[in-house]
Amino acid sequence: MDNLFDLPSEYKELRTSVRALSEKEIAPFAQSVDEDHRFPQEAANALQKAGLSAAHVPTQYGGDGADALATVIIIEEVARVCGASSLIPAVNKLGSLPLIMGGNEEQKQRWLPQLVSGKGFSYCLSESEAGSDASALRTKVERVGDGWVLNGSKKWISNAGISEFYTVVAQGEPTLGSKGITAFIVEKSDPGISFGAPEKKMGFRGSPTREVYFDNVKLGDDRRISEIGAGFALAMNTLDHTRITIAAQALGLAQGALDVAARYSHERKQFGKEIFDFQGVQFMLADMAMNIEAARQLTYAAAVKSENNEKDLRFFSAASKCFTSDMAMRITQDAIQILGGYGYVSDYPVERMMRDAKLTQIYEGTNQIQRIVMARNLPGS
Ligand code: COS
């Protein structure tokens, strides 16, 4: 029983090194990235240099072979200082996991080393009329000769325009519903692909979110990474693994906010003493830390289930994403409350963290969808 809930030393060392890198090379730019709505290029460079932008890629394709828990720790530590930067490793995992799970050897050899070399990989599922109801997607793929022709558009695509590669799920046989959907890889250089204007977002402002348009994009059959009609199951199964990375982001944002609030509570003096000395503030800090630790245990347990592909993964990934993002929303608000007026202005990072935390309750499936997934996959059922 010894150390059952203690992280093995290699994960602790990973946390220490990613934290050091994040504080030195990512945190100094987090505010300007947010204020200027600009891609966090400094973070992209630092993560790339350290082999952290796509560490999940198996070693035979040039990656670090970071397991699901290691990937969670990387994303958590980057999010602790900058949410937008943490989307770099998160989006790269989301975009490439369908290839890793569904692609053949030749396809993996073709794209994964390029991902490791710094070319991003985005995931295109959502559309303007197909969000929670993902299988209602209308982007159309038609068989033409030996290949395929893609037409339609995708919405809310993270890092669109920055990424070189896009996993796209498209409908080939509408009468079959979700069984008519197939998954493909589209490259930014393919004729017929274009991008909308960046969305003006509340948070995660450093990460561009754009529409992606496909106008008669011609694809060979070597771009198909699922069996014909198996694209929806592949897309959903991908989310079972990657919703945990959103939990990791939320965890990092909450921890970052707690760290700022705890430090501030010792610096700020009112009524002749540190505000930490007031029991009301102590109770808030204690509740924040308690909730973060509970979320961390759930998220790490979900990551291990992802790595081992355990049968209750679907429940655990939805639960970790839902619980942790709801928790992060409350904790970041409490952090602002502790900082008072200073929390409400951008001199301190907690208002940015709250704006970022809001999205973790929405993307990769709203928390209402997570509850549907949980209810359909109750533990023990
Ligand atoms: N893994 C593998 N297959 C899955 C699956 C999963 N996690 N979830 C569903 N499927 C399969 C089902 O087994 C079913 O196949 P069968 O008919 O052979 O059983 C098929 O897909 C359709 O499933 P279901 O009927 O459950 O689909 P619904 O239309 O009811 O939708 C939800 C299910 C709502 C859970 C799904 O649409 C969803 O997750 N929506 C949110 C999408 C999302 O997260 N979007 C964010 C964009 S990504 S950034």
Side-chain angles (χ1 to χ4, degrees), residues 126 132 179 232-233 236-237 239-240 243 314 364-365 376:
S126 297
S132 294
K179 296 279 189 299
F232 185 70
M236 289 297 112
N237 195 213
L239 296 176
D240 289 337
R243 283 174 175 155
R314 216 174 278 179
E364 288 209 27
R376 288 182 183 179

Side-chain angles (χ1 to χ4, degrees), residues 172-367:
E173 187 51 72
T175 54
L176 297 179
S178 67
K179 296 279 189 299
I181 294 169
T182 304
F184 298 86
I185 290 183
V186 179
E187 301 193 353
K188 189 163 85 170
S189 55
D190 287 332
I193 185 172
S194 60
F195 304 94
E199 303 286 351
K200 295 173 183 151
K201 294 178 297 180
M202 172 194 276
F204 279 98
R205 290 174 172 172
S207 171
T209 304
R210 301 168 71 174
E211 284 190 79
V212 184
Y213 307 114
F214 309 101
D215 180 14
N216 282 320
V217 177
K218 294 186 180 57
L219 304 170
D221 197 47
D222 57 348
R223 298 294 191 89
R224 180 169 58 80
I225 56 166
S226 74
E227 295 299 323
I228 296 171
F232 185 70
L234 181 62
M236 289 297 112
N237 195 213
T238 296
L239 296 176
D240 289 337
H241 292 275
T242 58
R243 283 174 175 155
I244 302 160
T245 67
I246 306 305
Q249 281 187 328
L251 193 54
L253 290 165
Q255 185 68 58
L258 171 61
D259 292 349
V260 173
R263 206 166 42 242
Y264 181 88
S265 72
H266 290 291
E267 291 164 3
R268 175 76 170 167
K269 291 200 175 64
Q270 291 292 278
F271 305 101
K273 54 186 177 183
E274 293 177 5
I275 61 167
F276 179 83
D277 291 334
F278 293 100
Q279 210 175 40
V281 173
Q282 289 180 10
F283 283 5
M284 286 178 80
L285 291 169
D287 279 345
M288 290 159 82
M290 173 177 73
N291 279 287
I292 289 172
E293 286 309 326
R296 182 171 285 121
Q297 294 293 331
L298 180 58
T299 303
Y300 289 6
V304 173
K305 287 177 188 294
S306 161
E307 189 59 30
N308 299 334
N309 220 356
E310 290 177 38
K311 68 175 177 21
D312 51 3
L313 166 65
R314 216 174 278 179
F315 172 85
F316 269 83
S317 71
S320 67
K321 191 273 194 195
C322 183
F323 184 85
T324 309
S325 58
D326 282 351
M327 176 280 296
M329 197 63 222
R330 291 194 309 272
I331 267 63
T332 52
Q333 284 176 359
D334 284 348
I336 292 173
Q337 194 67 22
I338 289 174
L339 269 73
Y342 291 100
Y344 199 69
V345 294
S346 61
D347 300 8
Y348 285 86
V350 287
E351 59 85 30
R352 165 169 52 82
M353 290 165 170
M354 185 199 76
R355 289 185 281 106
D356 288 354
K358 184 63 215 171
L359 186 57
T360 64
Q361 293 181 299
I362 297 172
Y363 68 176
E364 288 209 27
T366 63
N367 282 0

Side-chain angles (χ1 to χ4, degrees), residues 366-378:
T366 63
N367 282 0
Q368 287 69 30
I369 288 292
Q370 307 309 318
R371 288 176 169 94
I372 290 172
V373 172
M374 282 188 270
R376 288 182 183 179
N377 297 278
L378 291 175

